[in-house]
Amino acid sequence: MAHSSPKLLSENVPCTPSSAGSFDIGVILGDCGIEPTVERHNAAADAISWPLIDYSSCPPTDDQIAINRWLTHAPLAGKRILHVGAGNSSLASLLADKVGALVAVTVSVDELRHAQMLDLPGYTPLLMNKHGEAFANAFDARSFDYIVDNNLSSFACCQKHFERYFAAIAEALAEDGVILTHWLGMRWVLDVGVDDVEPAWLLDERKLRTIATAFGLRLDSDGDVFFMRHADRSSGS
């Protein structure tokens, strides 16, 4: 199968939040004042004994398994997937040879190395923080048919940087594309005593719908898997 990767860091349309991308779900901190980097959560990871950002040697989580299962029944030929949070690259291992291209981002050097060692066809792992400026400008508009993020707001540092991230994925989503997330990830935020995330970032269906609507997306669900699509698509598509 021939693989064509989405363009990275070249001739890109910048993805920045606009007034249309503002929303209110009760978050207090508007701007943390710190540009997010891949080292952003290292201190929190060092403070605990269980994996926080490196899942390279862990089995896929229940929410990842559910999303993987849904995607195996979706149209895949020639499709382009962005996986935010590579983990152990279970999604790429399952689908890389069935799709047109699969890009994964991670803040974990070990996850990146693991992904690179797999040497899967059409699989491009990248080291970057999804809330950072580099991610916001990394991809061309309408680059991906599926965007997967199990933990949409679990590591949100502030409203400004989350809005920048969500603007980026909404812009990168193809006209008939789908953003996928899961209830389990929606209901968890970083809370380990170091760099904790505001409880307001715990998402439910109402909050996620509020965010989606702000970025011109509509929300649907199938059990615990949630989907966001461009709102201007017909409801039957």
Side-chain angles (χ1 to χ4, degrees), residues 30-49:
D31 183 355
C32 67
I34 302 172
E35 177 61 26
T37 65
V38 295
E39 296 86 9
R40 179 71 175 83
H41 299 293
N42 284 359
D46 291 342
I48 57 178
S49 59

Side-chain angles (χ1 to χ4, degrees), residues 95-197:
L95 300 182
D97 63 348
K98 299 177 176 64
V99 299
L102 201 156
V103 177
V105 300
T106 178
V107 296
S108 167
V109 173
D110 287 333
E111 286 189 358
L112 176 71
R113 289 172 178 163
H114 173 74
Q116 291 171 332
M117 286 190 298
L118 291 174
D119 194 26
L120 296 169
Y123 183 34
T124 305
L126 301 171
L127 187 67
M128 61 175 62
N129 188 316
K130 71 181 188 181
H131 295 114
E133 185 174 4
F135 181 94
N137 295 302
F139 309 110
D140 286 342
R142 307 298 184 250
S143 290
F144 297 100
D145 302 288
Y146 301 107
I147 298 176
V148 176
D149 187 347
N150 308 26
N151 299 99
L152 279 173
S153 61
S154 299
F155 293 92
C157 51
C158 64
Q159 179 102 10
K160 174 185 175 181
H161 293 141
F162 181 86
E163 286 184 358
R164 179 170 66 183
Y165 164 63
F166 215 90
I169 59 173
E171 180 76 9
L173 187 67
E175 286 296 337
D176 59 349
V178 183
I179 298 172
L180 295 97
T181 193
H182 194 279
W183 177 256
L184 292 178
M186 290 164 56
R187 300 304 298 167
W188 182 83
V189 295
L190 179 62
D191 182 17
V192 298
V194 179
D195 291 331
D196 287 347
V197 170

Side-chain angles (χ1 to χ4, degrees), residues 12 62 91-92 107 112 206:
N12 299 308
D62 289 344
L91 181 60
V107 296
L112 176 71
R206 178 187 61 82

Side-chain angles (χ1 to χ4, degrees), residues 83-100:
H83 188 192
V84 182
N88 69 350
S89 291
S90 67
L91 181 60
S93 298
L94 184 68
L95 300 182
D97 63 348
K98 299 177 176 64
V99 299

